[in-house]
Amino acid sequence: MNFRQTMKLFSVIFVAAVAAFIAWPRAAMTQQTSQKSQATPTIDEYQPKSTLVTKEHKIERAKFPFIDIHSHHWNPTGEEVDRLVKEMDTINLRVMVNLSGGTGERLKNTVAAMKGRYPDRFVVFANMSYDDLNTPGFGKRVAARLEEDVKNGAQGLKIFKDFGMELKYANGQRVHVDDPEFDAVFEKCAELKIPVLIHVAEPSAFFDPWDYHNERWEEVKEFPGRARPPAKYPPFETLMTERNHLFAKHPRTNFIAAHLGFHGNDLERLGRLFDANPNVYVDIAAVLAELGRQPYSAHDFLVKYQDRVLMGKDIYEVNEYKWYFRALETRDEYFEYYRHRHAFWRIYGFQVPDEVLKKVYYKNALKLVPGIDAKAFPD
Ligand SMILES: [Zn+2]
């Protein structure tokens, strides 16, 4: 070995030693971090990124023109309505149903701002005023006001969730969902041939104990007011019983139970409600994650009850409709939902046949809501 070869050998050994010196403690440290010193994340901190590689279809525009049966726009200005129509056109939203029309003068103003500008693009539902709830003859007066509202352009009645939960008579008695005082109102709807879109109760988890087993734990943490503890509210099942009695005692009135009637987590139960009451329909507003977590059941349910389910979104946000299109129109798998507090799980597309899609998107609404121009929709 000459001098040069010796030097080469020494430098190789030296470099190897330095490399080992640097690498060994790091390797030891990494192992330690992954095994011991990493703290358990909170559920907010734990945001695993999916490594799944599978087909994705980003659908920005519905396959067919559609009717959103469940939207809210309070006292919209002409300018807002102009902007709304431009946005609606980008996603193929043909007719928007504003459930927040109010009654009397307010209803007239809302109809003027929306239908006055775009007669074919909007539908306005009236609401009840409870101001004179404690004056005898209330139900008949509401029915008369509703008849006026319909003359002034209302095409349906929307009942908000305070009905059955918060609304009380002056003596402290809760107004039950099937309170006979309101019979005149529901019979008037049948006579006027307008549907009643009714929101009864809330997701059943809001009525359950707020513990670590509660599916809506995160939402109740963020919005404690959404909890429905038994000390202040009737139980979920009481509200369901009253609601089902209401549906049964007005068979000539068409009811659209908002949010899958809060049976999105039990579609067989919803099926039984449909079987027992041919006058009952539902919208899918804000409960898409319920269908998206059970794609096989959701698909079969929609095929079986294709005449009873209507497209709706609830909170208007033009960029959020694409989740509905993707769930209804594709078989995409395991994609993130747009509202984490509603669903910490990912959802799946349950692609329904075109004939079913058309019914959900517009045919069922055309059948239920009077006065929408059917010519704007395919056969
Ligand atoms: Zn709503």
Side-chain angles (χ1 to χ4, degrees):
M1 202 183 271
N2 63 25
F3 178 70
R4 184 173 279 205
Q5 284 171 322
T6 311
M7 282 309 286
K8 204 174 171 185
L9 180 67
F10 269 110
S11 33
V12 168
I13 293 169
F14 179 73
V15 167
V18 168
F21 183 76
I22 295 170
W24 177 74
R26 289 213 178 163
M29 220 154 62
T30 311
Q31 215 174 11
Q32 200 180 37
T33 313
S34 65
Q35 284 178 0
K36 283 191 197 142
S37 69
Q38 195 176 102
T40 305
T42 66
I43 64 166
D44 298 325
E45 286 163 347
Y46 187 55
Q47 302 285 342
K49 287 203 165 55
S50 169
T51 60
L52 179 69
V53 179
T54 183
K55 283 204 182 70
E56 289 182 30
H57 302 86
K58 297 280 161 66
I59 300 187
E60 302 288 337
R61 190 178 164 80
K63 185 171 183 178
F64 301 110
F66 71 99
I67 299 172
D68 180 353
I69 196 74
H70 192 140
S71 201
H72 298 283
H73 304 269
W74 287 271
N75 306 312
T77 64
E79 242 176 23
E80 283 163 8
V81 173
D82 291 344
R83 201 193 59 225
L84 206 54
V85 169
K86 284 204 186 80
E87 290 182 357
M88 287 160 61
D89 286 341
T90 65
I91 59 170
N92 218 2
L93 172 39
R94 177 67 203 169
V95 176
M96 162 92 80
V97 179
N98 179 9
L99 298 178
S100 300
T103 180
E105 283 306 303
R106 193 163 81 78
L107 177 104
K108 277 194 206 167
N109 293 337
T110 304
V111 169
M114 300 190 104
K115 294 180 68 82
R117 300 173 83 82
Y118 303 93
D120 305 334
R121 304 301 299 276
F122 295 103
V123 163
V124 179
F125 275 30
N127 311 123
M128 293 191 275
S129 162
Y130 305 127
D131 289 349
D132 53 339
L133 175 67
N134 293 290
T135 311
F138 170 76
K140 288 205 173 72
R141 282 195 305 280
V142 174
R145 292 199 288 255
L146 183 62
E147 192 159 7
E148 249 339 90
D149 290 339
V150 169
K151 275 186 199 141
N152 291 326
Q155 289 159 273
L157 172 69
K158 162 72 195 281
I159 300 181
F160 294 105
K161 62 183 165 193
D162 54 343
F163 188 74
M165 287 200 292
E166 268 114 8
L167 185 65
K168 291 191 171 83
Y169 289 106
N171 64 9
Q173 277 274 344
R174 176 176 69 87
V175 172
H176 292 203
V177 180
D178 55 351
D179 186 331
E181 182 63 39
F182 291 78
D183 284 346
V185 180
F186 296 111
E187 287 306 308
K188 181 59 79 179
C189 291
E191 184 192 315
L192 297 170
K193 296 189 167 53
I194 56 165
V196 179
L197 196 146
I198 184 165
H199 178 143
V200 178
E202 283 283 67
S204 61
F206 288 171
F207 296 80
D208 294 337
W210 184 52
D211 60 19
Y212 287 4
H213 301 292
N214 193 308
E215 263 188 343
R216 302 294 272 261
W217 187 92
E218 223 185 330
E219 184 164 356
V220 176
K221 171 84 177 170
E222 196 178 341
F223 301 101
R226 292 189 184 175
R228 297 281 178 261
K232 281 173 75 183
Y233 295 93
F236 179 78
E237 289 303 334
T238 302
L239 291 166
M240 294 299 102
T241 303
E242 292 174 7
R243 179 199 68 183
N244 295 355
H245 182 222
L246 169 72
F247 292 164
K249 74 173 167 163
H250 300 288
R252 296 187 314 127
T253 308
N254 287 325
F255 292 94
I256 304 165
H259 315 300
L260 289 168
F262 293 113
H263 294 322
N265 56 350
D266 187 351
L267 293 176
E268 284 192 13
R269 181 173 181 181
L270 183 53
R272 289 194 297 275
L273 181 68
F274 284 154
D275 294 343
N277 303 277
N279 57 329
V280 172
Y281 301 78
V282 291
D283 72 43
I284 60 172
V287 287
L288 184 68
E290 292 291 358
L291 299 176
R293 65 168 159 172
Q294 45 176 336
Y296 308 117
S297 305
H299 172 275
D300 295 352
F301 180 83
L302 287 171
V303 169
K304 183 168 180 189
Y305 294 105
Q306 54 186 270
D307 298 313
R308 316 291 281 274
V309 182
L310 287 77
M311 169 72 174
K313 168 70 179 68
D314 206 352
I315 295 173
Y316 176 76
E317 169 49 67
V318 71
N319 296 311
E320 289 177 345
Y321 285 87
K322 51 176 172 268
W323 272 269
Y324 289 74
F325 309 152
R326 197 174 175 192
L328 286 159
E329 297 180 24
T330 82
R331 287 158 57 93
D332 280 5
E333 293 164 308
Y334 195 65
F335 55 96
E336 263 180 41
Y337 192 53
Y338 63 91
R339 204 71 95 245
H340 196 261
R341 63 171 176 266
H342 286 182
F344 53 85
W345 56 83
R346 286 165 178 252
I347 66 169
Y348 302 79
F350 40 85
Q351 190 179 55
V352 293
D354 280 358
E355 279 318 301
V356 176
L357 193 60
K358 287 176 179 176
K359 287 181 176 177
V360 173
Y361 273 171
Y362 60 91
K363 284 189 175 176
N364 293 336
L366 287 174
K367 207 171 60 185
L368 287 173
V369 182
I372 304 179
D373 183 10
K375 288 196 293 293
F377 299 89
D379 276 344

